[in-house]
Amino acid sequence: MVVAKLVVTASLVCAVVAQDAITANGGNFTLTGDDVSYLFHVNTASGDLVSDHFGAPVTDFVPPAFILPWGWHDGKVNDRREFPDIGRGDVRLPAIHIEHSNGDTVSAFLYQSHEIVPGKPSIPGFPATYGNESDVTTLQVQLYDNVSDVGAVLSYSIFPKYNAIARSFKITNNGTSDIVIERAASFSFDFPNLDFEVIEPHGDWYHEMNTVRRKVDYGETSFRSTEGYAGHTHNPFYMLTSPSTTENSGEAWGFNLVWSGSFEAALHKFSNGYVRALLGLNPLHASIRVAPGDSFQAPEAVSVYSSAGIGGVSRSYHDLYRNHLSRHKATHETRPILLNSWEGLGFNINDTAVVNLAGESADLGIELLVQDDGWFGVEYPRNNDSLGLGDWTPNPAKFPNGLKPYIDQIVKIDVVNASTNDSTNTAIKFGIWVEPEMTNLNSTLYNEHPDWILHSGKHARTMVRNQFVLNVGLPEVQDFIIDTVSRIADSAPISYFKWDNNRGMHELARPSDSYNYILGLYRVLDTLTTKYPDILWEGCASGGGRFDPGLLHYWPQHWTSDNTDAADRLQIQLGTSLVYPPSAMGCHISKSPNGITGREASFTYRGHVAMMCGSFGLELNPHELSADEIAQLPSIMADAHRVNPIVISGQFYRLAGPQDSNWPAVQFVSADGAEAVVFAFQQQYTTKPAAPPLRLQGLDPKARYFNSLDNGTYSGATYANAGINAGWDRGIYQSKLIFLEKR
């Protein structure tokens, strides 16, 4: 066996230098972060990789537990395996399942060699975390199945500062006939017999990223998306915790797949108590054929460990994703306050109406006007959602001179009390809505290219929301989308694109069509975001249907939910924050009572919920604002501007959630620790019990901080251990915004 050059083990008592984060001692591998160790080794007798430890720092390899070898279950079923395959005695869920060229499905991937690489190689065609040699180190382990002539390269990258490990693998077919990948879990780890609970997101449209916490018991605990995309019902993320773990203390492991397509998350607790944690492609959307000489690449999965509870995992993901996943320059910039045209104009849109709306918005201090649906279509004018989707030419009846003349007029309108990154440009900016992956039956595109949509032979073509899904796995469809969006971007001074997607994939000719679609989409997004780096891109999929790390690699923000009811949004936003940074969320104030829930809430409450996110704006008709709301708007917008830099780059703490308390609250602490901001809420008025004190987090216990609530100055230790009292009045859906300054 080939052994790579050894590296001196890093100290566990101080921050780990990335170059020293991986050591190889014979067949023993140790990945070390500031507060995590990941250990596995080569079984020298069999050549299999064996898992040893993933969790709090350790310095030694400990012999495994003895398990009685009698009965049906012996051998590998009692091993903790690092890359479990099918057959050879392991009856648990595998990480890799291949149908070989002769129809055999047994694999035997055995160790050959390894290499330690400074930094992190990219994964061509895939979104992935990135970093240089001061941030991350990568271990690549080469395995081979001598019977089938199939090779595997396992990639492990550790970001010591974030206690994060990114894993992926590549399978290469060195045989003479096709093989088929039936199952591919990018992350697989066998934990010992420990008690675990799993926190997983669930939901639907208007109800995204709610969470459930349950015991991991014997058998399989799993969830998946079979919608072709990450989907509303589940997100490619889960968190394992000890039963005693809380928001602020205890062990927790997060698992997140950097993928925008169908996925499966699975936990398999076997009779020996071992728990196999898996996250990867959905096997129902696999069956990926690999020709001789070709390779299959699994998407990356990122796992984060924390001994500081659920919040510790979240903050590591937030920092990692802002600094080493999202590559758009706006990721680290404050965002303009926007207004979307939909609530004000709907499909009743034309150049005069949009210019007037821009003027009204600028007078309110709005910095970006977004023109939503209804602006395109020639033969099939987009006057409702059954027409014109896919025909991205301005409707001549509504915009007789195209986009440029009236957009040129709009971007000369000065914003009242403008507060922008560019002090020399105080004019309102213009954004536009597109849904490039879809088409209507009633469209020129469909009439000319009916074969471009996802369909299965002669089976009926399922139409949802009056639209079909284009097969973005086809190169000609990719080129069409790239050319279409480029033409729109080049036609006028457009600063922002809202990229929507409003239905799932409901029939595939082949299971692998979803995998190929997502790779095609990534090619499209990589091309466009590289070509137009100054455009601010926001993802949307009927709200949060594709809020996933794959898209965050290209786009700096995503529309969190179509549900703008502020009380509901608290749960949605806090659930999303389990893994995704608030800086990546789009959140808007809508009218009261809410159009769907009918709930009434004050303008201040709605504003405070919305400004907890990186992109803040209005989702309403300015004419529907009351005189009182118009009077409050300047103050709300000033607070949003003050808060936004801290939301963009600060640390986020969930002090109390709406599932658990009538007084939910969150806190942001600026990156330099000099400022903090607290959002506190009272959902319902109660005569008793009294509201609990707000116990703050993330402050220097020895420093003193002035707060805007009672104009008091207290130590960080006092805020953390005694807390402060918000002093609620009678009434429902109240909120308070509290600023703290370090003195």
Side-chain angles (χ1 to χ4, degrees), residues 56-259:
V58 301
T59 56
D60 304 290
F61 285 76
V62 178
F66 174 73
I67 298 174
L68 289 174
W70 305 317
W72 284 14
H73 300 136
D74 193 4
K76 296 192 187 305
V77 76
N78 288 319
D79 289 341
R80 293 173 55 195
R81 306 182 65 198
E82 192 68 13
F83 189 58
D85 44 31
I86 284 282
R88 300 190 293 147
D90 191 350
V91 297
R92 295 166 292 178
L93 290 174
I96 182 68
H97 178 193
I98 300 173
E99 180 182 330
H100 298 291
S101 57
N102 63 355
D104 188 356
T105 59
V106 174
S107 297
F109 286 103
L110 306 181
Y111 173 83
Q112 276 200 320
S113 63
H114 69 270
E115 180 182 10
I116 298 175
V117 181
K120 184 173 185 291
S122 63
I123 306 177
F126 285 77
T129 53
Y130 57 84
N132 59 37
E133 61 184 29
S134 66
D135 306 311
V136 57
T137 303
T138 299
L139 168 67
Q140 294 179 329
V141 181
Q142 289 79 35
L143 308 176
Y144 206 79
D145 182 342
N146 293 310
V147 174
S148 63
D149 275 341
V150 175
V153 177
L154 310 187
S155 178
Y156 301 76
S157 297
I158 181 164
F159 293 83
K161 180 180 177 182
Y162 309 98
N163 300 307
I165 295 169
R167 283 187 58 175
S168 63
F169 66 84
K170 182 169 73 172
I171 300 291
T172 300
N173 180 8
N174 296 305
T176 58
S177 301
D178 289 1
I179 63 173
V180 181
I181 308 296
E182 298 290 3
R183 187 183 188 92
S186 300
F187 208 107
S188 172
F189 190 83
D190 283 356
F191 288 93
N193 182 14
L194 299 173
D195 286 334
F196 284 119
E197 294 180 346
V198 60
I199 300 173
E200 62 189 65
H202 69 92
D204 209 324
W205 174 79
Y206 227 69
H207 189 65
E208 297 92 335
M209 294 300 284
N210 284 249
T211 58
V212 61
R213 181 171 179 171
R214 52 182 167 146
K215 178 180 175 62
V216 177
D217 218 328
Y218 289 95
E220 296 176 23
T221 302
S222 66
F223 60 90
R224 67 179 68 192
S225 168
T226 315
E227 295 155 311
Y229 307 115
H232 290 81
T233 52
H234 295 287
N235 194 270
F237 168 78
Y238 65 92
M239 193 182 300
L240 279 181
T241 70
S242 299
S244 60
T245 296
T246 67
E247 178 70 27
N248 307 315
S249 67
E251 290 194 299
W253 296 257
F255 300 87
N256 197 200
L257 189 65
V258 186
W259 183 244

Side-chain angles (χ1 to χ4, degrees), residues 68 121 220 384 502 552 685 713:
L68 289 174
E220 296 176 23
N384 60 61
N502 281 305
L552 284 183
Y685 173 71
T713 300

Side-chain angles (χ1 to χ4, degrees), residues 504-533:
M505 306 178 196
H506 292 168
E507 58 257 335
L508 305 174
R510 301 167 190 82
S512 59
D513 283 353
S514 172
Y515 177 83
N516 294 328
Y517 179 110
I518 298 301
L519 292 184
L521 177 62
Y522 290 153
R523 179 201 163 216
V524 168
L525 300 185
D526 180 65
T527 301
L528 289 171
T529 54
T530 301
K531 186 176 181 180
Y532 301 101

